[in-house]
């Protein structure tokens, strides 16, 4: 059973898989327009909507940051066979590999951007990485529920296998000489992004086919991993859809 909370996460699940939602709790004391519209959408999807007090909502969500909305839902079955995903998407393969992202807000933001950019799967290591927590689901605004997130034991070996499947692995590193805009991204690509602060681990860096930097002109030395991921993913989308 999955616990979803927050307007965006719950509405995204109702949109993509309403039959998986068993019940939605909403804060009965709220009479504002946003809440009423939310309740209307829940009922229109055929899901039971139940008014609840703040104590029950907090207990269901496990904390107070639920926006007055909590849903009980079944886990959605997603293909977690990475190489089946690569084979199915062929030259259009686009993966995001996150090397040790431990902040749930960053992971959630990465998933949201990945979904928007058309990424078919996100790969994360089992160790030194946050999993799919309720906070991740909330920040991801539904992407955590629909986008395959594949946890692997040996990230370096997985990168080798991704390369053997014909996917070009590109790591983002501030010291790289090539820039994001020097790279042809129209073929199958796996973007490899490092953790907050430390960046790519040495072995992960060594396994990449190519390293690039994102050109910056300001005083900051690096971008947040979720921002850097967005920049790289949407440049890939731009090249694939809008370049001549």
């Amino acid at each position: 059973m999955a616990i979803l909370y927050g307007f965006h996460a719950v509405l995204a699940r109702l949109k993509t898989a309403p039959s998986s939602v068993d019940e939605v709790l909403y804060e009965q004391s709220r009479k504002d327009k946003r809440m009423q519209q939310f309740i209307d959408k829940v009922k229109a999807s055929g899901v039971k909507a139940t008014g609840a007090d703040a104590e029950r909502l907090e207990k269901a969500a496990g904390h107070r940051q639920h926006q007055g909305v909590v849903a009980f839902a079944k886990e959605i079955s997603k293909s977690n066979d990475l190489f089946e995903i690569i084979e199915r998407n062929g030259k259009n393969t686009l993966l995001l590999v996150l090397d040790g992202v431990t902040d749930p807000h960053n992971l959630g933001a990465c998933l949201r951007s990945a979904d928007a950019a058309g990424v078919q799967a996100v790969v994360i290591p089992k160790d030194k990485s946050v999993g799919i927590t309720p906070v991740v689901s909330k920040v991801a605004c539904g992407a955590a529920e629909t986008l395959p997130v594949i946890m692997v034991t040996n990230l370096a070996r997985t990168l080798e296998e991704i390369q053997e499947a014909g996917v070009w692995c590109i790591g983002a590193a501030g010291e790289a000489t090539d820039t994001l805009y020097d790279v042809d991204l129209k073929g199958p690509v796996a973007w490899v992004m490092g953790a907050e602060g430390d960046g790519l681990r040495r072995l992960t860096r060594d396994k990449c086919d190519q390293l690039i930097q994102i050109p910056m002109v300001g005083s900051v030395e690096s971008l947040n991993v979720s921002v850097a991921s967005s920049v790289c993913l949407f440049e890939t989308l731009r090249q694939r859809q809008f370049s001549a």
Side-chain angles (χ1 to χ4, degrees), residues 159 163 168-183 190-194 199-214 232:
L159 287 173
Q163 291 165 327
W168 191 251
C169 294
I170 307 174
E175 73 278 10
T177 55
D178 292 335
T179 78
L180 169 63
Y181 306 111
D182 296 325
V183 186
W191 278 106
V192 187
M193 314 300 293
L200 295 172
R201 289 180 289 181
R202 183 192 59 78
L203 187 55
T204 304
R205 182 191 307 261
D206 291 346
K207 293 298 181 182
C208 292
D209 293 300
Q210 185 174 10
L211 297 176
I212 63 92
Q213 61 164 300
I214 298 172
C232 294

Side-chain angles (χ1 to χ4, degrees), residues 1-238:
M1 177 69 70
I3 305 297
L4 308 176
Y5 63 87
F7 288 103
H8 290 300
V10 175
L11 287 174
R13 175 64 77 90
L14 289 171
K15 181 179 178 180
T16 57
S19 62
S20 71
V21 182
D22 295 325
E23 183 182 12
V24 173
L25 304 181
Y26 64 90
E27 191 169 347
Q28 60 191 7
S29 63
R30 284 186 57 170
K31 307 297 181 183
D32 55 278
K33 182 178 180 181
R34 186 182 190 188
M35 182 62 80
Q36 190 55 57
Q37 290 176 336
F38 173 80
I39 295 169
D40 291 343
K41 289 179 181 178
V42 174
K43 292 179 177 179
S45 66
V47 175
K48 180 182 179 182
T50 304
D53 59 23
E55 183 180 357
R56 184 179 178 190
L57 287 165
E58 183 177 340
K59 183 177 180 181
H63 50 76
R64 296 180 180 179
Q65 280 68 53
H66 46 65
Q67 297 183 309
V69 172
V70 179
F72 303 100
K74 302 179 183 68
E75 297 286 354
I76 296 178
S77 176
K78 297 177 288 187
S79 173
N80 281 327
D81 187 324
L82 178 59
F83 302 99
E84 177 185 313
I85 291 170
I86 293 172
E87 183 177 358
R88 183 168 66 246
N89 289 282
K91 66 179 183 179
N92 296 317
T93 296
L94 180 56
L95 308 175
L96 178 61
V97 180
L98 300 173
D99 184 19
V101 174
T102 57
D103 186 303
H105 292 89
N106 276 337
L107 179 57
C110 286
L111 295 181
R112 185 174 182 178
S113 295
D115 180 80
V119 167
Q120 294 105 17
V122 175
V123 179
I124 60 177
K126 289 182 179 178
D127 63 324
K128 298 180 181 179
S129 179
V130 65
I132 303 301
T133 67
V135 173
V136 172
S137 294
K138 179 178 183 296
V139 176
C141 294
E145 311 305 318
T146 57
L147 184 63
V149 179
I150 300 169
M151 302 186 73
V152 299
T153 302
N154 189 323
L155 186 61
R157 177 56 188 156
T158 299
L159 287 173
E160 291 178 351
E161 293 171 343
I162 290 172
Q163 291 165 327
E164 290 168 3
V167 179
W168 191 251
C169 294
I170 307 174
E175 73 278 10
T177 55
D178 292 335
T179 78
L180 169 63
Y181 306 111
D182 296 325
V183 186
D184 184 346
L185 300 169
K186 300 184 187 70
V189 168
W191 278 106
V192 187
M193 314 300 293
E196 307 91 345
D198 296 333
L200 295 172
R201 289 180 289 181
R202 183 192 59 78
L203 187 55
T204 304
R205 182 191 307 261
D206 291 346
K207 293 298 181 182
C208 292
D209 293 300
Q210 185 174 10
L211 297 176
I212 63 92
Q213 61 164 300
I214 298 172
M216 296 188 295
V217 297
S219 60
V220 298
E221 295 182 355
S222 63
L223 296 174
N224 174 281
V225 63
S226 62
V227 175
S229 297
S230 297
V231 172
C232 294
L233 292 173
F234 279 94
E235 170 59 16
T236 308
L237 185 62
R238 185 195 68 81

